[in-house]
Amino acid sequence: MNSVTRRRFLARTATIGGAAATLTLPGFGLAGAAPADGTATTAAAADLVVPADNRYPDLVRGANQRFVGAPDNVRVVRTTQQVVDVVQQAVTAGKRIAVRSGGHCYENFVADPAVKVVIDTSEMNAVTFDATRRAFVIEAGSTLGNAYRSLFKGWGVTVPGGSCPTVGAGGHILGGGYGPLSRLHGLIVDHLYAVEVVVVDATGKACAVVATRETSDPNRDLWWGHTGGGGGNFGVVTRYFLRTPGIDSTDPTQLLPKPPTSLLVCQGTWAWSDLTEQSFSTLMRNYAGWYERNSAPDSPNLGLYSQIKPFHKAAGIVGLAVQVDASAGNPDALLDSFLATLNNGVSAPLRVSERRQLPWLHASLWNGFTGGDSPVTQRFKAKSSYLRRSFTDAQLSTIYRRLNDDYTNPGTLLFLSGFGGKINSVAASATATAQRSSILKVHYANFWTDPAEDARHIDWLRTTYQQIFAASGGVPAPDVVNDGAFINYADADLADPVWNTSSLAWHDLYYKGNYPALQSVKRRWDPLNIFHHALSVTA
């Protein structure tokens, strides 16, 4: 057994029944809190990775290669108690903390030069079942792909999370993550029963707290803050506990949604050379119109999820990816009807490159939405918005013009992803995710590799977004068409008056009316503002 393996073994076996010991921290008054005063330490400390370590260059960057950190050290943790210990050490030393799980943060929140200690949770990646809580446990460092495999192979269930299998659960879940099954089953936070978080009290003491959705739980507000509040606000999440509400069973196979047995998948493209502005606008209206008519919580067509992806003309195409639940109804008829709706009145032909049925797990891990289980090694900038109905005519005209200008980056596109359905059956205040009346989520992004071109690419996307929302101060102000932005697609420009000239603050766009409640959670659980970044909740 080598030294690394031995440390992992000790860290795993130093817990009680697979969970960190829980006690009450004197003076903190919290049920389920584990102290950091040395009374419950693990046999092995978290790995310490310093600049001279050969692991350091990989561990100070995530998916977005624009941002490379320079912390004093990275701590690779494997247990909750190790997280408590590392947080306590950093707080005592006055060093700023940031956390990385899957590394898909869009901004430089983790790579900020002020961050001196990065907590890497990627080795905390177990997926288990807690019989006492009747809930599945997903550790914060697990990737979505790992969670999907483990839940499905072990119990035949899943969670309605995102389509990119390399994204970490740590940031995805607490930001209100969504994915191809969300129209059928809601957001992933709609199945969140509890969360374990390492927090710091007003005296500077760190401890682990478990907060549940039970109305009798005095820590329930901390649970609520992690149902769409976003990362880096209240503490360090170590474990999520998931169970679908309203199910009275002790059988694990009944406590989360069962995925479709198989999916009918389809991919195709329209050539920009075949699309006039009128045809493009008609195509986009047809796409949004289908979702306007088929996104009620009781719609019979919630098993269809798609992304339409208008690339810049430099790439030559408008892409389409669709999946249909092949275990219900007549999937081929539904797909045929959907494709016919999209192409109604569009002069350009849709060229279908793939149409076949695949078992659910295979289709989910190797899919047409992200390209499968591969890491991102590019530089990128991204933005977001929610749509309650189709873009306006003026917005479509702007999108067409910008995607057909003389910009030469083929890695530039919009993703319009299916939304609504069961997502919209939950009240806006029931979770921290306030957008509960939208039918599409829009992702604006461009990708490149040369650092010397950063300014050109970032400026193009900023300008495009500002022009699309010119009528509302350059941002998707909630109205009959738009409904704000998605915190997991973090965009610090929304807090910059150069790019947000509206009367709305950035948090009005991300959280709408839920922000005051998030501020209350912040005041209680992070009174010293230990956890903060450019878009964090402020007390």
Side-chain angles (χ1 to χ4, degrees):
M1 182 181 294
N2 62 36
S3 60
V4 173
T5 303
R6 183 174 184 274
R7 284 197 300 272
R8 293 179 180 178
F9 174 77
L10 289 173
R12 288 297 185 193
T13 55
T15 57
I16 301 172
T22 57
L23 302 170
T24 301
L25 177 65
F28 210 86
L30 302 174
D37 57 6
T39 60
T41 58
T42 58
D47 284 7
L48 175 66
V49 179
V50 297
D53 193 306
N54 70 329
R55 296 171 291 178
Y56 186 87
D58 269 309
L59 300 188
V60 295
R61 71 185 71 209
N64 193 341
Q65 300 303 297
R66 287 173 56 208
F67 308 121
V68 179
D72 293 349
N73 58 73
V74 178
R75 303 303 301 270
V76 181
V77 293
R78 294 180 174 83
T79 69
T80 298
Q81 187 60 46
Q82 287 183 353
V83 177
V84 173
D85 293 342
V86 170
V87 170
Q88 186 64 68
Q89 292 161 12
V91 171
T92 301
K95 293 181 180 292
R96 184 165 158 190
I97 305 164
V99 185
R100 175 175 287 123
S101 55
H104 284 70
C105 183
Y106 281 22
E107 292 284 1
N108 71 332
F109 300 161
V110 182
D112 189 317
V115 170
K116 300 304 178 184
V117 178
V118 172
I119 300 174
D120 187 319
T121 66
S122 60
E123 292 299 297
M124 292 185 67
N125 50 34
V127 178
T128 59
F129 181 73
D130 183 333
T132 302
R133 291 189 173 93
R134 294 189 302 117
F136 291 92
V137 179
I138 299 177
E139 290 188 325
S142 172
T143 63
L144 296 182
N146 176 63
Y148 298 156
R149 290 184 189 96
S150 297
L151 290 171
F152 184 69
K153 291 181 179 181
W155 299 275
V157 299
T158 192
V159 287
S163 59
C164 180
T166 61
V167 165
H172 180 76
I173 295 176
L174 59 79
Y178 76 105
L181 296 182
S182 290
R183 283 167 48 80
L184 277 169
H185 299 296
L187 300 176
I188 195 167
V189 295
D190 297 336
H191 302 265
L192 183 64
Y193 173 73
V195 61
E196 180 180 77
V197 193
V198 174
V199 296
V200 179
D201 75 357
T203 70
K205 291 292 185 179
C207 70
V209 178
V210 175
T212 75
R213 68 179 176 225
E214 300 292 347
T215 56
S216 59
D217 187 346
N219 303 330
R220 189 178 189 274
D221 62 333
L222 184 62
W223 164 83
W224 184 88
H226 288 85
T227 61
N233 284 311
F234 313 116
V236 182
V237 174
T238 50
R239 296 190 295 171
Y240 294 103
F241 299 81
L242 293 116
R243 172 173 25 110
T244 300
I247 298 179
D248 184 17
S249 175
T250 58
D251 180 358
T253 67
Q254 304 302 310
L255 297 178
L256 281 176
K258 293 183 183 298
T261 303
S262 60
L263 297 174
L264 174 60
V265 297
C266 176
Q267 293 192 71
T269 58
W270 292 268
W272 268 120
S273 58
D274 296 332
L275 286 167
T276 63
E277 181 173 355
Q278 180 178 350
S279 287
F280 173 75
S281 297
T282 298
L283 172 61
M284 298 296 281
R285 289 191 200 97
N286 289 348
Y287 184 79
W290 189 92
Y291 277 97
E292 289 176 30
R293 298 186 296 275
N294 292 279
S295 295
D298 60 351
S299 169
N301 296 326
L302 300 183
L304 186 148
Y305 169 84
S306 66
Q307 287 181 350
I308 194 168
K309 296 176 280 191
F311 284 81
H312 192 273
K313 74 171 183 180
I317 61 168
V318 173
L320 177 70
V322 190
Q323 72 171 47
V324 181
D325 180 351
S327 59
N330 188 334
D332 282 292
L334 177 56
L335 178 59
D336 287 341
S337 173
F338 176 71
L339 297 180
T341 296
L342 298 193
N343 245 41
N344 184 31
V346 177
S347 59
L350 170 64
R351 296 173 173 87
V352 175
S353 58
E354 177 186 26
R355 179 170 176 157
R356 57 176 172 153
Q357 284 198 24
L358 288 172
W360 171 78
L361 186 62
H362 279 70
S364 297
L365 297 180
W366 295 279
N367 60 71
F369 303 114
T370 64
D373 198 349
S374 60
V376 176
T377 57
Q378 294 177 298
R379 310 170 80 79
F380 64 88
K381 174 66 180 172
K383 295 173 176 287
S384 68
S385 70
Y386 290 88
L387 283 176
R388 286 173 160 157
R389 60 181 65 175
S390 173
F391 282 119
T392 66
D393 290 349
Q395 288 176 320
L396 288 172
S397 179
T398 298
I399 292 169
Y400 178 85
R401 175 173 51 81
R402 294 295 291 177
L403 292 178
N404 283 273
D405 66 11
D406 58 3
Y407 182 56
T408 56
N409 181 11
T412 299
L413 71 161
L414 279 63
F415 304 78
L416 279 74
S417 300
F419 210 66
K422 290 296 192 296
I423 298 168
N424 293 350
S425 68
V426 176
S429 62
T431 66
T433 304
Q435 289 82 3
R436 297 288 186 166
S437 61
S438 298
I439 52 131
L440 292 169
K441 184 174 286 187
V442 190
H443 192 190
Y444 312 76
N446 55 0
F447 299 83
W448 67 96
T449 57
D450 186 353
E453 296 185 349
D454 282 3
R456 179 171 76 94
H457 297 303
I458 293 170
D459 181 70
W460 186 91
L461 193 67
R462 283 172 166 169
T463 302
T464 297
Y465 189 79
Q466 188 177 58
Q467 291 182 4
I468 291 171
F469 299 107
S472 52
V475 297
D479 56 23
V480 296
V481 174
N482 309 297
D483 200 21
F486 179 39
I487 191 60
N488 271 1
Y489 298 161
D491 175 19
D493 292 344
L494 295 183
D496 186 341
V498 172
W499 299 105
N500 177 2
T501 60
S502 75
S503 61
L504 298 177
W506 64 268
H507 51 75
D508 296 321
L509 299 166
Y510 284 125
Y511 304 120
K512 298 174 50 174
N514 286 341
Y515 190 64
L518 288 168
Q519 290 181 294
S520 178
V521 177
K522 180 72 170 182
R523 285 191 294 270
R524 180 184 178 196
W525 293 101
D526 187 21
L528 300 180
N529 198 30
I530 299 298
F531 305 97
H532 62 276
H533 52 74
L535 292 177
S536 57
V537 174
T538 59

